[in-house]
Amino acid sequence: SSELTQDPAVSVTLGQTVRITCQGASLATSYATWYQQKPGLAPKLVLYGKNSRPSGIPDRFSASKSGTGASLTITGAQAEDEADYYCSCRDNSRSRELFGGGTKVTVL
Amino acid sequence: QVQLEQWGAGLLKPSETLSLTCAVYGGSFSGYSWSWIRQAPGMGLEWIGEMNDSGSTNYNPSLMSRVAISLDTSKNQFTLGLTFVTAADTAVYFCARGGAERQRVTALRFSTFFYMDVWGRGTTVIVSS
């Protein structure tokens, strides 16, 4: 079982907005990091910190946090955004990285 | 541009030791941590552990008794060892570079955020008798 909880799947119509949530006690004192993974490929960093995007990640990806929850929002979803998305955060009390179970995003 | 290339034995028998190596090209070890993550078939990501550039390690408590990560700075490589493997260790294993960034979160507070920004392509390891 994961200490970060994500909905298993969510769908979004092309061009619309979708929010992926992540819940866990460790998020009370930290922010989530978000990874995108497409079939057969390694995960790719898309968001970290308060709302930081690595070079090359479109600004339609944004992050937010409230209490013990975190969200990744895709504003104007594109077909290429269809993927699995994983949240993670550092459990500072144990110096380990936690991953959520992943959310499969389908773009209709 | 930093790239990670990984390799290792892909088929093991139960009770054998898994050994994977990840080579770092286009960058140095300094200032980063070096991690291993795995993904069982059809499942999510599981963090295995990390070693920072000063040699300190952190491991997933569920694997701590069997896992070891080491760095060879002369070769720009780091390795994963996992002893006494079982079928439950069948997975794709990824190496990754970890970074940390200090950001202001409120007017008076800073926090450090961790991320893994460069990943290897993954190595499939199957444990079967």
Side-chain angles (χ1 to χ4, degrees):
Chain A
S1 65
S2 174
E3 295 176 44
L4 294 178
T5 301
Q6 298 182 242
D7 292 330
V10 64
S11 61
V12 59
T13 301
L14 183 69
Q16 297 303 299
T17 296
V18 63
R19 190 173 75 162
I20 305 160
T21 61
C22 177
Q23 197 77 23
S26 294
L27 292 172
T29 55
S30 185
Y31 284 72
T33 299
W34 293 92
Y35 299 91
Q36 175 194 69
Q37 186 181 32
K38 296 183 179 180
L41 297 180
K44 180 181 181 181
L45 176 67
V46 292
L47 289 162
Y48 67 96
K50 285 191 70 176
N51 191 22
S52 297
R53 288 185 308 276
S55 174
I57 300 300
D59 62 4
R60 64 178 179 271
F61 290 89
S62 63
S64 62
K65 168 182 146 62
S66 177
T68 58
S71 299
L72 179 158
T73 300
I74 308 173
T75 304
Q78 302 299 302
E80 60 264 31
D81 300 334
E82 186 163 289
D84 294 328
Y85 290 84
Y86 292 90
C87 64
S88 75
C89 77
R90 183 60 59 113
D91 178 350
N92 285 321
S93 65
R94 300 181 184 182
S95 296
R96 63 177 175 139
E97 191 78 7
L98 303 173
F99 280 104
T103 297
K104 182 176 182 61
V105 173
T106 301
V107 180
L108 305 173
Chain B
Q1 184 174 350
V2 176
Q3 292 185 327
L4 303 183
E5 181 178 331
Q6 56 180 108
W7 66 87
L11 181 61
L12 296 172
K13 289 183 166 53
S15 81
E16 291 184 336
T17 295
L18 178 157
S19 180
L20 299 176
T21 300
C22 185
V24 181
Y25 296 104
S28 74
F29 279 136
S30 180
Y32 297 97
S33 63
W34 303 92
S35 300
W36 290 95
I37 303 94
R38 70 181 183 180
Q39 187 170 33
M43 303 295 284
L45 302 172
E46 180 182 25
W47 182 78
I48 298 171
E50 66 184 2
M51 176 175 271
N52 65 21
D53 57 350
S54 62
S56 297
T57 54
N58 291 308
Y59 296 127
N60 188 322
S62 69
L63 298 169
M64 188 179 295
S65 63
R66 299 192 292 131
V67 69
I69 296 174
S70 60
L71 264 61
D72 185 338
T73 55
S74 67
K75 295 182 179 179
N76 258 25
Q77 295 175 358
F78 61 107
T79 62
L80 169 69
L82 183 67
T83 60
F84 300 106
V85 297
T86 70
D89 295 312
T90 292
V92 177
Y93 286 74
F94 297 99
C95 58
R97 184 181 79 169
E101 186 174 299
R102 192 167 165 80
Q103 296 181 1
R104 181 185 295 274
V105 294
T106 68
L108 298 175
R109 191 167 71 90
F110 286 82
S111 284
T112 300
F113 302 108
F114 299 89
Y115 53 83
M116 290 175 277
D117 62 343
V118 183
W119 292 65
R121 292 189 171 190
T123 300
T124 299
V125 175
I126 297 172
V127 181
S128 174
S129 55

